[in-house]
Structures are given as C-alpha cells and as structure tokens.
Amino acid sequence: MSFVKLPRLALFMGLQIEIWRNHIEESLFNDNAFMNHISDVDEDNIVGGKIVHIPQSGGGGRVVRNRTEKPATVRQRADDEVLYLIDEYTSDPVHISNADTKELSYDKRESVLREGLNYLAEETAEGVLENIVKSPVGNHNELPGTNILTTDNATKVGSAFEGGTGEYDAYKIGDLQRMKNFFKKQKAWKEGSMYALLTPDAETQMFPADSLVTATYMQSVTEEERRSGVMYKCQGWSLLSRSTVYRMTAAGVFVPYGAEGNEDDVEGNLFWNKALVEKAKGQTIFFDDQGNPTWYGDIYSYLVRLGARARRKAFEGVAVLRQKAA
C-alpha cells in the first residue's frame, strides 16, 4: 500500500482533531478502494452503536392463476434477521519525545503518524474482508460451500504463497464467466453493480501484459472508475486488485489473517454485488496528548469502528473463486 500524504496544516499548526478525523476516514478507503464499492448501512438498523440488524423477508406467497378454490388460505409471513458487529480497531499509543521533535533532521511526527495510519488501513480492510464471508455472531454467519467456486484450467501454476508446494489450475477469464452465471442463477446479478477483488496472481494470469485483449479490458474503464480502484471491466465485472484477498486450506476453509498457513493452501478471490453487501462505520477518533508532563513529549493513537456483512442470510450476492489443486 502506498503511503498517504498527511495534511501539513495539521502537522505544523497544532493537530486539529476534525481535520484528522476526516483524513483518517479518507485514507482508510482510498488505500483499500474495494471498500468504496460496498453499500453503507441504514443507520436505523444499528442498535446501541455496536450490533447491526438486517431484516430478512420470510418470502412471498403463491400467485394462483385463475383461482377456483375460495376463500383463499390466509398466510402469515415469518420474517428473520441476520446480525453483525461493528468492530473496534485501536492503534498502540506512540510516544514522540520532545527531543525528537527538535533535533532530528526529518519530521518524526509526520513519519510516525503516516506509518500508524497505513497499519490501521491494512487491519480494517482485512477485518472487512473476513466479516463479509464469516460473521462472529448470529445463526446464518458463514459463506456456504456452494458459494465457493474453483478454478478449472488445463494450464498449471505453482503455489501463490512463499514456501507453498504443489501445482494448481491457473486462473482464466472463463472463471469470470462462470461466476457471472452463478450469480445469475442466484438471482443476485445486477448490471453495473458487480465487483471482484483479485489477487496479483489472478490478475496477471487472467490479464497478461502482452495481450491485446488485456488492453481492451483496461480501456473500457473510465477515468472516474480508475480513480475508484477499478483496473479492468470484463464479463460484466468491475475488477480491482489487492496484494492479498483470502488464504484458504485445500478443503476450502478460510485461514485467518496473520495465522500460519499450510504448504498446500490456496488463494481465494472475492466477488460481490454491491447492493447485497454492506458496511457500517462508527466513530473515528484521533487521540492526541501533546506536551505530556510524565512522558516529556507527545502521545498519539487512533480508533476506528467498522463492520461489514453480506445482507442476505444465505449469502446470495457473495462468492469466492479459489484455486484448485492439480
């Protein structure tokens, strides 16, 4: 992820809290552009600022053509709901001594705050990605196996992970078409609302740099879309890329971020309908204690509250493409 440029006004004229709060929020979403393509929650569904309730319809009744049996049977719809939490992310407080602000040849405060913000952006993005496929609360809380498709290609490639072993089916553009077909069968396809987050290996295998077809898919992206993170448009998908998306076991189980993986782990790529995934953004706070008398310097930290989930209990509108072992 690229380093963000911090506002000089805030750094050299006393850190203004409101400026920093807005800057933190902008940086989180700019550095992980896929989050800009997830719908925002209706605030009426947030309970106590911590839990989000998504009502689920119990389904419609029958429609009878030329009904002959009367009176018709009266039915009552039994609705349900799914839940998810708004997670709280806090950075470790960092101390910058008075001497560091006076004697160093570079602005240590700017360097420290920039670095902390980048770590915060990485952690929140990974948390959102995890929550989209598995919520820590509720009954309908995990992406079903039927929503995980595998690569299918005669061409084989090595492991995408350092130290990984084995061979795997390479990615190809046909995978995008299969995903499109899957979403249409789920009745979760809507033109102009379909997005995918690809790993670097998936991107380079689907769209090799020396291919004229690749240039066509890149040219179909508008300048506005490019600024929002979209790299290619293909088979109805707006495609973004990220250094990591999901790591999964050979059996299709998601490996938590930061956990030690296995030699035969595979990649997973996320596909979603923007209207069927949502995020809930809570407080964003920049804490500063300048001129602390016991630390003889300044202390800073961040707090961000953010959560996400698929809107439907059966996870329609969300799917994962994972590598298949040869």
Side-chain angles (χ1 to χ4, degrees):
M1 301 191 313
S2 60
F3 275 359
V4 295
K5 184 172 179 62
L6 304 184
R8 308 295 289 186
L9 174 65
L11 289 171
F12 294 105
M13 298 180 64
L15 278 80
Q16 299 180 30
I17 302 304
E18 188 62 34
I19 292 177
W20 260 101
R21 181 162 53 242
N22 294 335
H23 183 67
I24 293 168
E25 293 179 1
E26 291 173 3
S27 297
L28 294 184
F29 294 97
N30 288 342
D31 287 346
N32 293 279
F34 76 92
M35 292 199 287
N36 290 312
H37 304 291
I38 297 174
S39 299
D40 293 314
V41 67
D42 184 346
E43 293 185 1
D44 293 338
N45 293 336
I46 302 177
V47 178
K50 295 181 179 180
I51 301 177
V52 182
H53 294 242
I54 309 177
Q56 303 288 296
S57 168
R62 295 182 306 149
V63 175
V64 179
R65 182 179 181 182
N66 301 323
R67 188 186 299 269
T68 58
E69 294 183 6
K70 300 177 182 178
T73 302
V74 178
R75 65 180 291 273
Q76 184 174 358
R77 197 178 79 173
D79 288 353
D80 197 357
E81 68 176 5
V82 295
L83 311 174
Y84 68 93
L85 299 177
I86 300 179
D87 295 314
E88 183 177 273
Y89 300 87
T90 53
S91 67
D92 289 338
V94 60
H95 166 245
I96 303 175
S97 70
N98 181 263
D100 283 343
T101 64
K102 305 296 183 183
E103 299 170 5
L104 296 178
S105 60
Y106 67 97
D107 187 349
K108 185 170 182 177
R109 180 166 64 178
E110 178 179 1
S111 175
V112 167
L113 295 180
R114 180 194 297 132
E115 183 181 54
L117 189 52
N118 280 312
Y119 280 121
L120 184 66
E122 183 77 5
E123 289 296 325
T124 54
E126 290 178 351
V128 167
L129 287 171
E130 278 191 340
N131 288 339
I132 287 174
V133 296
K134 186 173 182 178
S135 175
V137 295
N139 297 321
H140 316 286
N141 65 347
E142 189 167 356
L143 185 75
T146 52
N147 287 38
I148 301 176
L149 278 64
T150 57
T151 53
D152 183 15
N153 197 339
T155 302
K156 309 304 176 186
V157 294
S159 173
F161 300 109
E162 184 177 354
T165 59
E167 288 190 328
Y168 305 88
D169 287 13
Y171 298 101
K172 61 181 181 179
I173 287 179
D175 294 326
L176 302 180
Q177 189 174 37
R178 289 193 299 118
M179 269 293 184
K180 180 178 182 178
N181 186 52
F182 174 78
F183 274 74
K184 284 190 171 183
K185 286 184 175 180
Q186 279 198 329
K187 297 182 179 180
W189 181 271
K190 183 179 179 181
E191 293 292 340
S193 296
M194 310 307 297
Y195 292 87
L197 186 61
L198 304 179
T199 65
D201 279 14
E203 179 186 358
T204 55
Q205 290 167 26
M206 288 183 186
F207 305 102
D210 57 353
S211 170
L212 293 178
V213 177
T214 295
T216 301
Y217 293 134
M218 294 183 71
Q219 290 170 0
S220 64
V221 179
T222 67
E223 184 60 34
E224 182 179 358
E225 290 171 330
R226 191 170 287 106
R227 286 196 298 267
S228 71
V230 178
M231 302 289 293
Y232 315 90
K233 292 177 74 174
C234 180
Q235 294 292 329
W237 297 101
S238 295
L239 303 168
L240 301 88
S241 181
R242 190 175 187 273
S243 58
T244 57
V245 184
Y246 296 116
R247 183 170 185 145
M248 308 174 71
T249 67
V253 178
F254 291 95
V255 178
Y257 289 98
E260 186 174 350
N262 304 303
E263 291 182 348
D264 59 348
D265 284 348
V266 297
E267 287 186 332
N269 302 263
L270 178 64
F271 291 72
W272 75 97
N273 178 330
K274 179 177 180 177
L276 297 180
V277 180
E278 71 175 37
K279 64 180 183 294
K281 184 173 62 176
Q283 290 178 304
T284 299
I285 302 176
F286 173 66
F287 296 98
D288 70 317
D289 185 3
Q290 299 181 57
N292 184 288
T294 58
W295 281 91
Y296 306 100
D298 306 330
I299 300 174
Y300 303 103
S301 64
Y302 304 106
L303 179 150
V304 170
R305 304 186 70 240
L306 186 67
R309 196 199 186 281
R311 278 181 167 164
R312 294 184 182 176
K313 64 181 181 181
F315 286 79
E316 296 95 339
V318 177
V320 167
L321 172 68
R322 74 176 179 88
Q323 294 173 306
K324 181 175 70 175

